[in-house]
Amino acid sequence: MTVRIGMIGPGAMGRSHIERIRRRIAGAEVVAVSDLDDEHARTVAMQIGAAAYPTSAELIAAADVDAVMICSHGPAHRDDVVAAVDAGKPVFCEKPLAPTASECLDIMDAEQRAGRRLVTVGFMRRFDPGYVQMKDILTSGEIGEPLIFHSAHRNPAVPLQYTPDMAINDTAIHDIDIVRWLLAEEVTTVRVDTPRATRHRPGRLQDPLILILSTTSGVWVDVEIFVNNQHAYDVQGELVAETGTVRLTDQQVVERSGTAGRGHRLAMDHNERFAAAFDAELQQWVAAVAHGECTGPSSWDGYAAASVCDAAVRAIHAEAATSVSMIERPALYR
Ligand code: ISE
C-alpha cells in the first residue's frame, strides 16, 4: 500500500520532508498540500504533481488523503492536529506539538475521544544512531545508574523572526525530549541561567542560555542553547553514569588533511546533522500508518516536553528554579 500524505505548511522543514519522501522513503507519496500562503501551496503542488487545497480543513477532509503531515509553524499546530484526529486520520506533527502544554492537552483530549492514538511527534533525535547507542548502553546496565547529562545545542545563526521563547519552545525542546526518552523519567524542575550574551545575536535575544533540569530520580542535566555561534550546527551530549560515560561523537565519517591541518567538517544545519534520523523517523511512521498502527513519540511526549518548556519560560522571567506541573499520564499513553 502507498500511504497518500497531505502536507500542511510545506515551508523549509516540510519541503525537506517532501524530498525525503520522494527520494528515500518507501511506500509513501505526498498527494496534497495546503499553506496559509495560497500561492506558495500552488507552487509546491505544481512542482511535485500534488493537489493544492486553499484550507487545511479541506486537505484533511480530502478522500485521497490517508494521513496528514503538519509542518507549519508551532502556533498553528493545535487546530490542525485536532481536526485530523477528529477526522480519524493519522498525523505526523513536527515539533513542537504545540507551543504550550495546554494546547497539547486539547490534542490528547481529541485522541482520547477517538479512543486511540493517531498522533506522532517529530522528535527526530530519538532515531539518531548516536543517541540510540547511548540509550542501549544505559539500558544494558553496564555503566550503572545515570547521574548527570551534559547537552549542548548550537546553531550557526537564527533568523530575525526567532523570538526569545523560541530558544526554549523550538530549540531546547529537542534536548528536553531526548533527556526524557534517554532516562525514561520526567523532568521535575527547571532553572535558566543567562551568561554574557554574544554580540552576534539579533535584536535583544538572550543568547546563549543554560538550562539546568532535574529529573524524578535526581539526575542533573545542563543544556547549553547557543543559536548564533557563527560557525556550525553542533549538538553535543554526554551521559555520566556510575561506572562509565557515553559521549556523542561528530557524525562525519572521514577526516581530511591539508594546509590547515587534519580534521573533519561540521554540519551546518539540522537536515545535515540529523539526516539519518529524519529518514528513520519518517520511514517508521509510514510503515506504521500502512499497518494501521501508531508508533514513535506520542502526544504525551509532546505534552511532557511542552510542560518543561512552559516551566523554563516561567523560570526565565522569575529568575528562579521552577517546578514542572503535569497531569497524571492518561491510560491511552501508558
Ligand atoms: C529548528 O526548528 C530545529 O528543530 C533545529 O533542530 C534546532 O536546532 C533549531 O534551533 C530550531 O529552530
Side-chain angles (χ1 to χ4, degrees):
M1 164 194 180
T2 297
V3 176
R4 297 166 302 174
I5 297 172
M7 179 180 290
I8 300 171
M13 194 66 232
R15 284 198 309 268
S16 73
H17 281 320
I18 290 176
E19 268 312 288
R20 184 167 292 116
I21 291 164
R22 282 161 59 112
R23 292 174 190 278
R24 294 191 294 282
I25 303 298
E29 71 176 303
V30 177
V31 298
V33 294
S34 74
D35 195 87
L36 283 179
D37 176 352
D38 213 20
E39 197 176 318
H40 174 65
R42 283 200 300 271
T43 307
V44 175
M46 208 163 64
Q47 284 163 353
I48 63 170
Y53 285 89
T55 64
S56 52
E58 286 163 273
L59 175 141
I60 291 166
D64 68 344
V65 166
D66 303 317
V68 179
M69 281 186 79
I70 299 184
C71 302
S72 49
H73 73 313
H77 288 180
R78 189 254 318 261
D79 292 353
D80 287 334
V81 178
V82 168
V85 170
D86 286 345
K89 297 199 175 175
V91 192
F92 176 94
C93 182
E94 260 308 333
K95 46 61 54 178
L97 177 57
T100 60
S102 98
E103 293 162 278
C104 297
L105 283 173
D106 294 340
I107 292 170
M108 287 198 288
D109 285 347
E111 279 189 311
Q112 287 174 96
R113 279 198 304 277
R116 59 189 171 126
R117 275 194 53 198
L118 285 159
V119 179
T120 299
V121 183
F123 285 132
M124 82 297 187
R125 283 193 190 181
R126 295 179 179 212
F127 297 85
D128 174 69
Y131 283 117
V132 168
Q133 216 175 318
M134 188 182 275
K135 187 167 169 75
D136 285 348
I137 293 171
L138 179 62
T139 47
S140 73
E142 284 164 42
I143 56 171
E145 294 297 328
L147 307 172
I148 303 169
F149 187 71
H150 303 292
S151 197
H153 186 165
R154 305 180 185 127
N155 293 179
V158 287
L160 274 175
Q161 60 270 27
Y162 186 94
T163 60
D165 288 359
M166 284 169 76
I168 306 286
N169 296 332
D170 206 50
T171 300
I173 195 165
H174 284 295
D175 305 84
I176 291 165
D177 177 67
I178 210 68
V179 161
R180 293 186 57 252
W181 170 80
L182 184 67
L183 303 175
E185 54 180 313
E186 297 301 348
V187 173
T188 51
T189 65
V190 191
R191 192 181 90 213
V192 182
D193 292 349
T194 51
R196 178 179 181 179
T198 170
R199 288 171 301 159
H200 300 288
R201 69 198 197 275
R204 295 174 52 77
L205 193 68
Q206 176 57 50
D207 189 30
L209 286 177
I210 307 282
L211 275 63
I212 306 291
L213 317 176
S214 58
T215 69
T216 325
S217 73
V219 177
W220 190 92
V221 178
D222 58 284
V223 182
E224 173 200 317
I225 300 297
F226 183 15
V227 292
N228 290 281
N229 78 359
Q230 309 294 296
H231 68 276
Y233 186 92
D234 187 15
V235 169
Q236 304 285 332
E238 183 176 29
L239 175 69
V240 179
E242 290 170 309
T243 62
T245 66
V246 190
R247 191 164 61 82
L248 295 179
T249 55
D250 293 334
Q251 308 296 299
Q252 308 302 322
V253 290
V254 291
E255 274 190 342
R256 188 168 157 171
S257 304
T259 49
R262 192 195 311 279
H264 58 254
R265 62 180 299 283
L266 296 172
M268 291 307 289
D269 66 18
H270 51 282
N271 277 316
E272 185 181 354
R273 169 62 181 79
F274 287 108
F278 282 123
D279 286 357
E281 73 166 354
L282 268 197
Q283 188 63 74
Q284 190 199 70
W285 177 66
V286 164
V289 171
H291 289 95
E293 290 161 9
C294 184
T295 57
S298 67
S299 302
W300 170 260
D301 295 313
Y303 162 75
S307 303
V308 181
C309 290
D310 282 358
V313 170
R314 286 199 307 276
I316 298 184
H317 299 299
E319 292 182 17
T322 305
S323 300
V324 178
S325 90
M326 279 167 63
I327 62 163
E328 205 180 309
R329 194 192 280 240
L332 187 60
Y333 306 104
R334 279 186 209 136

